[in-house]
């Protein structure tokens, strides 16, 4: 959705990622399939700053992949902060566990393997920040299960809400599905929603306060 030159420029003028996170980026691309699933430096810094801004002590992530985004968010946690991250794919979960164990944040991240919809029904809130970046067809269900776990002042971030621009194409099923979710969120009177045109779209969702 963004010209490569602009994307590269945006990454170049973000605070640089630490060497070990850059190495994780390289290892992910060399080892796992679908490396485009990496959050990358721009979204990684955005997540870190959102976690820091919300002063989140408990963070929930749906979709771990290689662990890049979880580690980016861990950098924004307060001293007692913790992350719970959910991953359904055994290969991705194994890769991420190794990644976490070798990182400076090994003791702050809990990875739960298995279908996210099942795991979410067993979790207790509240979480101050939630990042959803798993199978896109499951987003509506994940939101349904996550909103009751969200703290009153918390935020949910959903990645890839532009679906490569397919939200503008009424003949693309995946775009139609995401467009329906985007519009449902925007029309919900109990929620405040904004879609940021960062990379493939990052939507932020919070609960409205009375009178807002």
């Amino acid at each position: 959705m963004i010209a490569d030159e602009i994307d590269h420029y945006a990454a170049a003028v973000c605070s640089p990622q630490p060497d070990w996170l850059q190495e994780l980026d390289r290892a992910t691309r060399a080892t796992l399939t679908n490396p485009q699933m990496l959050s990358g430096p721009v979204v990684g810094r955005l997540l870190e700053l959102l976690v820091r801004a919300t002063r989140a002590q408990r963070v929930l992530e749906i979709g771990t992949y290689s662990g890049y985004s979880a580690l980016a968010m861990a950098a924004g946690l307060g001293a007692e902060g913790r992350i719970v991250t959910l991953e359904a794919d055994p290969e991705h979960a194994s890769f991420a566990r190794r990644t976490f164990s070798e990182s400076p944040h090994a003791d702050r991240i809990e990875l739960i393997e298995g279908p996210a919809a099942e795991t979410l029904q067993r979790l207790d809130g509240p979480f101050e920040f939630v990042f959803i970046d798993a199978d896109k067809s499951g987003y509506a269900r994940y939101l349904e299960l996550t909103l009751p776990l969200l703290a009153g002042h918390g935020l949910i971030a959903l990645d890839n809400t532009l679906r490569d621009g397919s939200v503008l194409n009424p003949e693309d099923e995946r775009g139609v599905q995401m467009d329906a979710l985007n519009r449902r969120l925007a029309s919900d009177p109990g929620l405040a929603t904004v879609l940021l045109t960062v990379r493939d779209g990052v939507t932020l969702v919070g609960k409205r306060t009375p009178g807002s």
Side-chain angles (χ1 to χ4, degrees):
M1 292 297 296
I2 298 174
D4 288 343
E5 294 86 352
I6 295 295
D7 197 33
H8 295 327
Y9 177 80
V13 296
C14 286
S15 301
Q17 297 289 336
D19 291 345
W20 56 270
L21 205 51
Q22 293 181 40
E23 178 55 36
L24 170 56
D25 187 308
R26 289 189 288 270
T28 299
R29 296 178 188 281
T31 306
L32 297 182
T33 56
N34 301 313
Q36 73 276 8
M37 291 167 56
L38 270 169
S39 296
V42 176
V43 173
R45 281 298 184 195
L46 175 63
L47 293 173
E48 175 192 344
L49 291 172
L50 288 171
V51 168
R52 192 182 305 278
T54 55
R55 299 184 180 181
Q57 290 299 305
R58 297 189 73 210
V59 171
L60 173 63
E61 177 181 53
I62 303 171
T64 311
Y65 190 46
S66 68
Y68 185 102
S69 51
L71 288 168
M73 290 188 289
L77 289 170
E80 303 301 320
R82 296 292 182 272
I83 293 175
V84 176
T85 183
L86 314 183
E87 177 55 57
D89 187 295
E91 180 187 6
H92 296 168
S94 177
F95 186 99
R97 284 194 179 97
R98 291 194 302 273
T99 295
F100 296 152
S101 69
E102 297 167 358
S103 79
H105 305 296
D107 60 341
R108 311 184 79 181
I109 303 175
E110 176 188 3
L111 191 156
I112 302 176
E113 187 175 342
E118 296 178 12
T119 304
L120 286 168
Q121 295 177 70
R122 302 194 301 268
L123 291 180
D124 295 321
F127 292 92
E128 291 87 10
F129 189 76
V130 179
F131 181 48
I132 301 177
D133 188 20
D135 57 300
K136 312 313 169 193
S137 62
Y139 271 26
R141 179 59 171 158
Y142 299 150
L143 273 168
E144 175 189 353
L145 295 170
T146 297
L147 281 168
L149 303 176
L150 185 67
H153 65 285
L155 280 178
I156 298 174
L158 301 95
D159 204 9
N160 305 113
T161 48
L162 290 176
R163 294 309 313 265
D164 299 317
S166 65
V167 289
L168 303 178
N169 184 356
E171 297 181 359
D172 189 305
E173 182 178 352
R174 63 182 188 146
V176 168
Q177 186 179 56
M178 187 62 76
D179 175 59
L181 177 62
N182 289 338
R183 294 182 185 277
R184 194 190 93 191
L185 287 171
S187 63
D188 190 322
L191 301 175
T193 300
V194 60
L195 196 162
L196 306 178
T197 52
V198 176
R199 291 194 72 202
D200 193 30
V202 177
T203 294
L204 302 182
V205 180
K207 295 177 180 179
R208 284 189 186 273
T209 55
S212 65

